[in-house]
Amino acid sequence: APTGRQVKANQRDTTWSTYTCILGFPVMGIWPSGSDGTDVNALDRSRSEEYVVTVDDLGLVKLFNYPCVAHNAAHRQYRGHCSHVMNVRFMKDDR
């Protein structure tokens, strides 16, 4: 909202330039089985809208296709840290 005023209209089909929310229909497949809702710490969708990357409490960085709506969606995972990873972002050119 350019004016800073609250937008009260339905935003369901709005296209956003970024997506960083760990909750929502297009990313419901990121959650591992048995998750308590606190396991995934951060998420970022690529600018091309092809991928979504997540980080979690196990120190893993996971790369999914976007949208990611299938339960236990296929992904690639990489060890990011020996402990919790708290944030993740794609670079401007999606690297």
Side-chain angles (χ1 to χ4, degrees):
T3 64
R5 293 179 187 228
Q6 180 181 5
V7 176
K8 295 180 181 178
N10 187 336
Q11 300 299 306
R12 177 180 175 185
D13 296 323
T14 302
T15 301
W16 303 99
S17 62
T18 62
Y19 193 97
T20 58
C21 185
I22 60 174
L23 302 173
F25 180 78
V27 295
M28 66 185 190
I30 67 169
W31 295 95
S33 294
S35 176
D36 66 359
T38 65
D39 303 309
V40 178
N41 297 323
L43 170 148
D44 193 31
R45 182 193 66 200
S46 64
R47 304 290 185 267
S48 66
E49 299 185 18
E50 291 182 63
Y51 303 105
V52 65
V53 63
T54 67
V55 291
D56 63 27
D57 287 348
L58 300 175
L60 297 174
V61 177
K62 295 180 181 178
L63 182 67
F64 297 87
N65 287 324
Y66 180 85
C68 180
V69 297
H71 180 67
N72 286 331
H75 62 276
R76 292 186 180 207
Q77 70 181 30
Y78 308 91
R79 174 82 35 208
H81 292 265
C82 61
S83 185
H84 297 21
V85 183
M86 298 308 297
N87 209 349
V88 66
R89 291 291 180 267
F90 280 101
M91 294 174 60
K92 183 178 178 180
D93 59 359
D94 278 349
R95 292 185 190 185

